[in-house]
Amino acid sequence: MTGTREQHELIKMRLRLAGSSLACIARELGIQPTTVTATSQGKRRSRRIELAIARKLGCTPQSLWPARYDEAAPQEGLP
């Protein structure tokens, strides 16, 4: 699995290739760019930001950050 730093760099690259950036997403959402960066880096969680990044890339947040969503998923066999 790709580490969070490498994953963050891949997201930035994919956004650039799509003609966007983390700063563009921050402007569209009306929030600070550092908040979007922190979410991409895995330092914080925000479903709203994760969804905005994923939409720009034409995918789902689960495909970008599978570990984040695997942790949140209920475990089979557990109450």
Side-chain angles (χ1 to χ4, degrees), residues 8 22-27 30-40 49:
H8 169 68
L22 295 174
C24 289
I25 291 171
R27 280 191 298 275
I31 58 177
Q32 293 295 314
T34 54
T35 305
V36 178
T37 298
T39 301
S40 176
I49 295 170

Side-chain angles (χ1 to χ4, degrees), residues 1 4-5 9 12-13 16 21-22 27 33 40 42-43 45 51 53 56-57 59 61-62 75:
M1 169 162 304
T4 55
R5 180 166 174 79
E9 293 300 325
K12 290 191 328 183
M13 179 192 68
R16 279 193 303 273
S21 68
L22 295 174
R27 280 191 298 275
S40 176
K43 294 179 180 177
R45 297 261 336 241
L51 185 58
I53 293 170
K56 281 283 184 197
L57 298 177
C59 61
Q62 293 85 350
Q75 300 291 321

Side-chain angles (χ1 to χ4, degrees), residues 1-2 7 9 14 16 18 20 25-26 28 36 38 41 46-47 49-50 59-61 67 75 77 79:
M1 169 162 304
T2 305
Q7 195 170 16
E9 293 300 325
R14 288 179 61 190
R16 279 193 303 273
S20 189
I25 291 171
E28 290 171 7
V36 178
Q41 290 173 334
S46 168
R47 293 199 189 269
I49 295 170
E50 291 169 5
C59 61
T60 64
Q75 300 291 321

